[in-house]
Amino acid sequence: MDKWECPCGYVYDPEEGDMDNGIEPGTAWEDLPESWVCPLCGAEQEYFEKMD
Amino acid sequence: MYKPITLADGIYSVGCRDWDIRDFHGYYINEGTSYNAFLVTGEKNILIDTVKSNFADELLDNISRIIDPKKIDAVISNHTEMDHSGALTRIMHKIGEDKPLYCSKMGAKNLKSHFKHEYNFQAVGSGDTLTIGNRTFSFLETRMLHWPDSMFTYMPDEKILFSSDAFGQHYAGDKFFDDEIGDEIMPHARKYYANILLHFSPRVQTLLADVAKMNLDIRMICPDHGIIWRKDPSKIITAYDQWSRQEPAKKAVVIFDSMWKSTTKMARAVTSGIESENIGVRLMNTRKWHRSDIMTAVMESGAVAVGSPTLNNGIFPVIADVMTYVKGLRPQNKLAAAFGSYGWSGEAVKILNKEFEEMKWEIVDDGVKVLYVPGASDLERCFDLGACLAGKLKEKLSA
């Protein structure tokens, strides 16, 4: 599963999820709810870039 | 130019005071500010942070009073923003562009895209320790406090924390240390927190917990703006803990603008209603108060009432300015109410309620809108709105 990076440097890693905000480990980027934003800076998903 | 200030043996504050600045990217500064930079001398010489570009000559003059600036061996950049990196090109040119420039990973990325230039970037991360000559530094990345690149530099032997923008204040004066100025500095520190850091309060809580876990012995905190905390650094840490909790306070603020004094009359009635419940309240006219002062009052208040006339089916532009600014800084845990006079359609109250909702503020009442000039019964409704807001705040505080 792909990791996605926020312009602020935060990396969304599907293996870890984002438990603080109710995202279970194993949640793919595509399956994140629309309301999920960067837990670090608040940027919306459209600003993230897929990591190589 | 000021005489370099000695912080510890061989460690100096060499920055500059900007006496003239009033508008700091939309934040009103009534007493100027300072851009602090620090020179660590010894077997090797290290400069921590620089100043705004137009103060580069003054920074070089200040350094020259201690050492020849060409003898600087390395630079540490805690933060990319231009008030701290502006003089970096001049400094690097002076000392030699091959000299190491230590910064966070995001700092290297940001400085590179900022200056469109490759310096000898040496990325450091949290927990890394660096020894240069007889001086040791350790680093703590503080991402989003308040930029992705922000970091702290700590000198474990001297127990000095160079905290970048955190713990700073926009203040320029004849005092340089907390023990010289006393409590007079706190309103500046509070306004700085409200306008620069409030947005990142959850990160401040995490950072304070991390610092506590690391058991750092901090004898002195050197921020990049304002005075240095040397007598009691715990004072500003405690204040940050309190501000970042965003607990509701027993205070209210009424923010308003008016076209023909109708919303002004309503604002006064709302204020009286709040006071009738023995809650302290400030009445702030957005044409008299700067958005950055209003922001500080919002941070300090548990209840916020906003009044706006309806202009061309929208909220009044000055109120829109203030609301956009306040919203961006994400104040939490507020009770809210809206009011306003109108001439034909009266959308302002509805729009304000929507703004409150988006900020997750608790709306205590649908609000009061009045066609044309408020009469006695309308003003009574405004008074009741204020009393209701204050009453709910009291309930919340006693819960």
Side-chain angles (χ1 to χ4, degrees), chain B residues 349-364:
Chain B
V349 167
K350 194 174 75 185
I351 296 170
L352 285 169
N353 279 338
K354 194 162 164 274
E355 296 272 348
F356 298 154
E357 255 173 48
E358 284 177 12
M359 288 192 282
K360 299 189 173 68
W361 289 6
E362 189 187 328
I363 301 166
V364 301

Side-chain angles (χ1 to χ4, degrees), chain A residues 7-10 40-42, chain B residues 106 143-144 148 199 203 330:
Chain A
C8 80
Y10 172 84
L40 212 52
C41 77
Chain B
M106 291 304 286
R143 282 190 185 183
M144 297 320 294
H199 181 174
R203 301 278 313 144
R330 298 188 197 172

Side-chain angles (χ1 to χ4, degrees), chain B residues 185-299:
Chain B
I185 199 64
M186 293 315 283
H188 298 285
R190 188 183 303 121
K191 183 172 178 179
Y192 190 94
Y193 187 89
N195 285 276
I196 306 283
L197 291 158
L198 187 68
H199 181 174
F200 305 111
S201 288
R203 301 278 313 144
V204 173
Q205 280 291 315
T206 311
L207 174 74
L208 294 179
D210 287 349
V211 170
K213 251 185 262 164
M214 288 159 76
N215 230 345
L216 287 187
D217 184 3
I218 301 170
R219 298 268 170 88
M220 188 185 295
I221 298 178
C222 301
D224 276 353
H225 295 287
I227 60 103
I228 284 154
W229 307 91
R230 71 173 174 191
K231 185 185 171 215
D232 184 14
S234 68
K235 183 174 177 150
I236 190 66
I237 293 176
T238 307
Y240 267 50
D241 182 34
Q242 191 212 326
W243 296 330
S244 60
R245 286 176 193 276
Q246 299 214 56
E247 283 167 358
K250 198 180 170 182
K251 269 187 189 179
V253 60
V254 177
I255 301 160
F256 77 100
D257 208 316
S258 197
M259 292 164 69
W260 294 105
K261 303 273 189 277
S262 291
T263 306
T264 304
K265 287 175 185 157
M266 296 174 75
R268 291 200 174 130
V270 171
T271 303
S272 301
I274 294 171
E275 281 186 323
S276 73
E277 291 285 331
N278 298 316
I279 295 285
V281 57
R282 287 176 77 178
L283 180 58
M284 299 181 100
N285 176 340
T286 53
R287 232 91 63 84
K288 302 290 179 193
W289 286 94
H290 195 267
R291 65 172 89 81
S292 51
D293 290 307
I294 293 173
M295 186 58 231
T296 313
V298 168
M299 178 176 92

Side-chain angles (χ1 to χ4, degrees), chain A residues 24-48:
Chain A
E24 295 286 337
T27 307
W29 173 260
E30 294 73 19
D31 297 331
L32 284 170
E34 249 178 64
S35 59
W36 184 87
V37 295
C38 173
L40 212 52
C41 77
E44 291 171 7
Q45 291 169 37
E46 63 180 284
Y47 299 102
F48 280 65

Side-chain angles (χ1 to χ4, degrees), chain A residues 10-21:
Chain A
Y10 172 84
V11 174
Y12 178 74
D13 181 348
E15 281 184 24
E16 287 179 19
D18 174 19
M19 285 300 276
D20 289 346
N21 295 292

